[in-house]
Amino acid sequence: MTSSEVRRPVGRPARAVTFRRVLAAEWTKRTSVRSTLWLPLGTAVSALMLAYALGLFVRAGDGRSGVSLVVAGHVLAQLGALVLGVLVGTEEHTTGTATTTYAAVPRRLPVLGAQALGTASVALVTALAALVASALATQGQRDATGLTLDLADGGTARALAGFVLVLTGVALLGLGLGALLRRSAPALVAGVLLLVVADQLLLANPGRVTDTLRALLPGAGSRLVLDDARVAALDATTQGPHLGPWGGGLVLAAWVVALLAAAAYRLRRHDVT
């Protein structure tokens, strides 16, 4: 179906397809499906439960920091963010509504832009909720072990902000993979391989080449959630580049931009079915 085949009722004036209306339509789609509620809720709950569980093993003087305990749940939370992005990116194609959507929005790219904004918004709110919940859940454990959460400390503030940035970035990474591959299973597998499996395989075989490759994977963004001591320890042991926390964040951002650009190219140049 092409745009010329779309017929409007006789006597009803055509309404301009503005980005604002496309964004409103995409938001309506997101809020009309149950996964938009349950997936962020499950992500936040899994993050706080993992942080609390790991807090049971923390002892005073074991070298941990208060912020490392609060953000410990990002390992599970990033998987929830990945699933969120993949579902948004593949939904139009798996349900068969892509033809109708892109007939209504012939320029196509505004749809992807609206999906990116919607996904980032949901992921950001989810990350903030998970962060607050984890901080509250581990309050007693931090008090008992003398681990403080000094928000005035630069490293602490950066790790907390990094938790939100990483989850938002991973959700957009999932959107890029989903929009590019258009099928949920391959996109999820590719995301897990990039974020978890490849990182762990390279970590098990340290060396100049493997450490360099590991630093260039999107999982390098996780450096943003490490406290200053763990970043220093990582840079001291790696034979690859010393990215620091913000360098790791830039690597993740580069992956997001590259995947969304590839998805936009395919969307623009190829059929949507």
Side-chain angles (χ1 to χ4, degrees), residues 32-85:
S32 63
V33 296
R34 292 182 179 180
S35 61
T36 302
L37 171 64
W38 292 111
L39 190 55
L41 181 61
T43 300
V45 170
S46 64
L48 80 87
M49 290 183 65
L50 181 58
Y52 182 82
L54 294 176
L56 297 175
F57 301 95
V58 173
R59 299 291 182 269
D62 63 2
R64 298 291 298 271
S65 64
V67 69
S68 69
L69 184 56
V70 173
V71 302
H74 88 278
V75 177
L76 287 181
Q78 69 175 354
L79 296 179
L82 176 67
V83 173
L84 170 68

Side-chain angles (χ1 to χ4, degrees), residues 59-206:
R59 299 291 182 269
D62 63 2
R64 298 291 298 271
S65 64
V67 69
S68 69
L69 184 56
V70 173
V71 302
H74 88 278
V75 177
L76 287 181
Q78 69 175 354
L79 296 179
L82 176 67
V83 173
L84 170 68
V86 167
L87 290 180
V88 174
T90 59
E91 185 179 39
E92 298 279 2
H93 304 283
T94 56
T95 61
T97 59
T99 303
T100 303
T101 296
Y102 293 113
V105 189
R107 293 174 59 193
R108 298 184 179 181
L109 293 188
V111 175
L112 183 61
Q115 289 175 339
L117 281 178
T119 301
S121 299
V122 174
L124 191 147
V125 172
T126 301
L128 287 173
L131 198 61
V132 172
S134 297
L136 295 175
T138 57
Q139 177 70 57
Q141 296 167 332
R142 286 183 282 116
D143 290 343
T145 53
L147 300 179
T148 60
L149 190 63
D150 183 7
L151 299 180
D153 177 71
T156 299
R158 186 260 304 154
L160 295 175
F163 183 92
V164 177
L165 292 175
V166 168
L167 260 61
T168 303
V170 170
L172 291 174
L173 182 84
L175 173 64
L177 286 169
L180 179 63
L181 301 178
R182 299 182 177 180
R183 294 292 181 270
S184 299
L188 281 174
V189 170
V192 172
L193 285 174
L194 286 172
L195 287 170
V196 181
V197 178
D199 183 78
Q200 293 302 309
L201 289 175
L202 294 173
L203 178 62
N205 298 279

Side-chain angles (χ1 to χ4, degrees), residues 226-261:
L226 301 180
D227 58 29
D228 289 342
R230 294 185 67 189
V231 171
L234 183 61
D235 284 343
T237 57
T238 184
Q239 299 181 50
H242 293 183
L243 296 176
W246 294 111
L250 288 176
V251 171
L252 174 59
W255 274 89
V256 170
V257 171
L259 286 171
L260 287 177

